[in-house]
Amino acid sequence: MCLSLQYLTVDRNRLWYVPRHLCQLPSLNELSMAGNRLAFLPLDLGRSRELQYVYVDNNINLKGLPSYLYNKVIGCSGCGAPIQVSEVKLLSFSSGPRTVFLPAEVKAIGTEHDHVLPLQELAMRSLYHTYHSFLKDLNFLSPISLPRSLLELLHCPLGHCHRCSEPMFTIVYPKLFPLRETPMAGLHQGRTTVSFVAYCCSTQCLQTFDLLS
């Protein structure tokens, strides 16, 4: 809850992951996480308009950037080297020759052939919309009525759909885009195998989402 924090540097700290709450810092403008052991980034990283500079250079296990970072200043040289990640068990998905690790909080990976969302996902979205539309306060839900882990998810969803901004809690539909030069993202010096990854909430959003739309 560092509401005034504008610059955060955590370079060379052997970090495996960064907390999702980082995406909710309203004033964060520059984030540097170079030289760590990151294999994935929070799905919502870059969703805030305030965050404009992200540096993740020399995270050799990192092969995907959330597509919210598209058109932001990104430093990612030295990422995506072909190395085995054996110290932690990670959920991953593959697209052609590329494999991208996903945050440990992701429970399931959707595909374009799915027709129905999991019941837990539908229930969490219903609770979330009720909270935002009417109550504006999660204190009405106690650990007796809902487990603490689900209460925390309601406070901070896993991510939001890149197509329609629907919150996601257990399942994501990933879509890979090749890393490309943009007017602002001009720091991809040297060879890299990193791609942008879009996370959608449903088959329909997965099929219709494009980085340029």
Side-chain angles (χ1 to χ4, degrees), residues 95-157:
S95 178
R98 184 136 337 180
T99 297
V100 176
F101 298 118
L102 299 183
E105 297 90 345
V106 175
K107 302 304 180 187
I109 301 175
T111 71
E112 58 183 9
H113 304 295
D114 292 348
H115 299 291
V116 181
L117 286 172
L119 182 60
Q120 182 182 2
E121 181 72 14
L122 293 173
M124 292 296 294
R125 291 185 189 181
S126 179
L127 283 172
Y128 183 87
H129 288 307
T130 299
Y131 150 64
H132 272 282
S133 299
F134 304 106
L135 300 168
K136 306 297 183 184
D137 185 4
L138 282 175
N139 291 330
F140 82 101
L141 289 171
S142 69
I144 297 176
S145 61
L146 202 63
R148 179 175 297 277
S149 59
L150 297 185
L151 279 174
E152 292 176 352
L153 261 181
L154 284 179
H155 278 288
C156 186

Side-chain angles (χ1 to χ4, degrees), residues 67-68 70 177-178 180 196 198 209-213:
S67 65
Y68 282 124
Y70 188 76
F177 295 89
R180 62 187 75 168
F196 286 113
F209 177 80
D210 189 88
L211 277 178
L212 299 178
S213 62

Side-chain angles (χ1 to χ4, degrees), residues 8 18-25 28 30-33 38 40-49 51-56 62 64-70 72 74 158-160 162 196-197 199:
L8 178 61
V18 291
R20 287 181 287 120
H21 288 82
L22 204 65
C23 305
Q24 296 185 332
L25 299 178
L28 188 63
E30 183 174 319
L31 175 63
S32 183
M33 302 177 288
L38 301 175
F40 53 81
L41 297 174
L43 275 58
D44 270 353
L45 189 64
R47 190 167 184 257
S48 166
R49 293 183 179 180
L51 183 61
Q52 291 295 322
Y53 304 88
V54 176
Y55 305 99
V56 290
L62 185 64
L65 301 171
S67 65
Y68 282 124
L69 294 178
Y70 188 76
K72 310 225 175 187
I74 307 166
L158 177 67
H160 289 77
H162 287 77
F196 286 113
V197 187
Y199 298 97

Side-chain angles (χ1 to χ4, degrees), residues 8-15 31-36 55 57:
L8 178 61
T9 299
V10 291
D11 297 345
R12 296 178 296 280
N13 274 284
R14 300 184 180 181
L15 299 179
L31 175 63
S32 183
M33 302 177 288
N36 285 291
Y55 305 99
D57 306 82

